[in-house]
Amino acid sequence: METEVQANYSYIGQSFGDSTVNDNSSSAFSDCNSDQSGEFPSASSESRQMLIACASENSNDLIRQLVADLESCSIDEQKQAAMEIRLLAKNKPENRIKIARAGAIKPLISLISSSDHILQENGVTAILNLSLCDENKELIASSGAIKPLVRALRIGTPTAKENAACALLRLSQIEENKIAIGRSGAIPLLVNLLETGNFRGKKDASTALYTLCSVKENKIRAVEAGIMKPLVELMADFGSNMVDKSAFVLSVLVSVPDARTALVEEGGIPVLVEIIEVGSQRQKEIAVAILLQICEGDSMVYRTMVAREGAIPPLVALSQAGTSRAKQKVF
């Protein structure tokens, strides 16, 4: 059975020798948070009064009413209630616990499977906002949210897909959920979002994949889904604002032999060498770490390929002019 050598090179909760890119990875992925769609311009004055009332200490009755409306026979009432809960959970962190305790999670999960795109989008995003509370994550997962979120990732609106990716990321912060999410079919859909989504979609997909692929079976799924092609393309495009995120995702994958093979086949080595030559300091450090993993063990073929692609001169330059962390990686 293959033994992973990732322990010395991963970046969440593990170390690369005494100096790691742990500190940098957290900042690279720090902007996948709650609903980023802004306020709701169509909200009525009555709706705004609800929000004001909910800011008071006597908001429990109002939240209970909104939760009851989620199961109304009127689709318009459902839409309004889901929208209000979505916004309340976004703007007042203390409401996330109140809303969950009032029983909102299961009816919101039901809305995720709705054929009505507005209901689905509000259901997905409300679940995302509720999942920002650590206390709610286990309840959301145990209430059956993973498969509906994956379905939204497959057939939802662009916003629903992006927010489903973020919600799955939040749920994956509970270790046992990573395997369940991977086995639910999320990985190929996240790879597709990484390749075809807009900037926010790519960002959210990369963040979710980075966390999910700390599990070996999810690394394999990602490679089988063709993740190397979009990762290499994004790393090669310095104007994409995705170089760091793509490189960090790659860093957790290359402990898998098939990932190294796919990386070479997609032309990844010259891209990594270019990053060492012209990238930012953080980009250079993570590129060096990836090349070290590729060259580990008895892989003379990869070592020769790295040398032929011109990696030695920029590595020498980095060893002389880089930060202490970069110098340690080079040596």
Side-chain angles (χ1 to χ4, degrees):
M1 183 175 67
E2 178 191 350
T3 302
E4 289 216 75
V5 294
Q6 180 188 346
N8 289 331
Y9 297 100
S10 63
Y11 302 105
I12 290 184
Q14 299 179 15
S15 62
F16 184 95
D18 291 329
S19 62
T20 177
V21 291
N22 236 356
D23 296 340
N24 290 332
S25 66
S26 61
S27 60
F29 292 110
S30 62
D31 51 354
C32 182
N33 290 303
S34 66
D35 173 14
Q36 297 180 23
S37 61
E39 305 302 327
F40 300 100
S42 61
S44 65
S45 58
E46 178 185 358
S47 171
R48 288 192 291 272
Q49 289 170 5
M50 287 183 178
L51 297 179
I52 294 170
C54 210
S56 72
E57 296 180 358
N58 300 318
S59 60
N60 292 335
D61 289 343
L62 176 57
I63 290 176
R64 279 194 292 269
Q65 182 58 55
L66 290 173
V67 172
D69 288 346
L70 289 175
E71 299 182 281
S72 169
C73 295
S74 165
I75 192 169
D76 289 335
E77 288 186 4
Q78 286 182 311
K79 286 181 180 179
Q80 182 69 20
M83 184 179 69
E84 297 293 351
I85 287 174
R86 166 183 174 173
L87 188 55
L88 293 172
K90 172 186 176 180
N91 287 340
K92 283 183 68 71
E94 58 268 33
N95 281 341
R96 294 168 190 157
I97 295 176
K98 289 183 179 181
I99 291 168
R101 290 178 177 174
I105 288 175
K106 286 190 175 181
L108 285 171
I109 291 171
S110 296
L111 296 186
I112 296 175
S113 300
S114 173
S115 59
D116 184 285
H117 293 313
I118 296 175
L119 270 179
Q120 181 192 59
E121 187 175 305
N122 285 327
V124 167
T125 312
I127 288 294
L128 164 60
N129 292 346
L130 291 174
S131 73
L132 297 178
C133 171
D134 289 340
E135 184 177 316
N136 290 340
K137 290 173 184 173
E138 187 173 346
L139 179 59
I140 291 170
S142 65
S143 297
I146 290 174
K147 287 185 177 179
L149 286 170
V150 172
R151 183 175 183 272
L153 195 57
R154 180 181 295 110
I155 65 171
T157 65
T159 298
K161 289 180 179 181
E162 293 158 7
N163 289 341
C166 268
L168 290 169
L169 163 67
R170 295 299 165 186
L171 298 183
S172 72
Q173 291 168 348
I174 296 177
E175 194 67 24
E176 55 265 32
N177 288 342
K178 293 178 182 179
I179 292 176
I181 292 169
R183 292 177 180 177
S184 71
I187 302 296
L189 298 172
L190 288 168
V191 171
N192 183 65
L193 185 60
L194 178 69
E195 186 166 18
T196 65
N198 59 23
F199 173 68
R200 190 191 163 204
K202 293 178 188 296
K203 172 182 68 67
D204 293 344
S206 67
T207 309
L209 286 163
Y210 180 69
T211 301
L212 289 166
C213 288
S214 65
V215 175
K216 183 178 180 181
E217 66 180 65
N218 288 342
K219 300 180 202 284
I220 295 170
R221 290 188 181 99
V223 174
E224 290 175 346
I227 194 173
M228 284 302 161
K229 181 176 182 291
L231 285 181
V232 171
E233 289 176 350
L234 290 167
M235 286 193 303
D237 182 2
F238 284 88
S240 69
N241 292 320
M242 287 291 299
V243 175
D244 300 60
K245 290 180 174 63
S246 300
F248 278 116
V249 175
L250 178 57
S251 73
V252 298
L253 295 173
V254 290
S255 62
V256 177
D258 286 349
R260 296 194 287 272
T261 301
L263 174 64
V264 171
E265 290 175 350
E266 293 295 340
I269 289 179
V271 171
L272 289 166
V273 173
E274 182 182 13
I275 290 172
I276 295 172
E277 290 176 330
V278 301
S280 68
Q281 195 61 46
R282 176 167 73 178
Q283 291 164 359
K284 289 177 180 181
E285 290 174 8
I286 186 63
V288 169
I290 293 168
L291 287 175
L292 285 175
Q293 292 184 76
I294 293 171
C295 295
E296 269 243 303
D298 299 324
S299 183
M300 185 59 66
V301 172
Y302 290 155
R303 292 179 189 177
T304 302
M305 190 177 298
V306 168
R308 285 178 178 172
E309 290 295 341
I312 304 303
L315 285 173
V316 171
L318 190 62
S319 71
Q320 295 173 344
T323 64
S324 58
R325 182 188 348 231
K327 290 177 181 179
Q328 184 171 352
K329 285 179 172 20
V330 171
F331 288 117

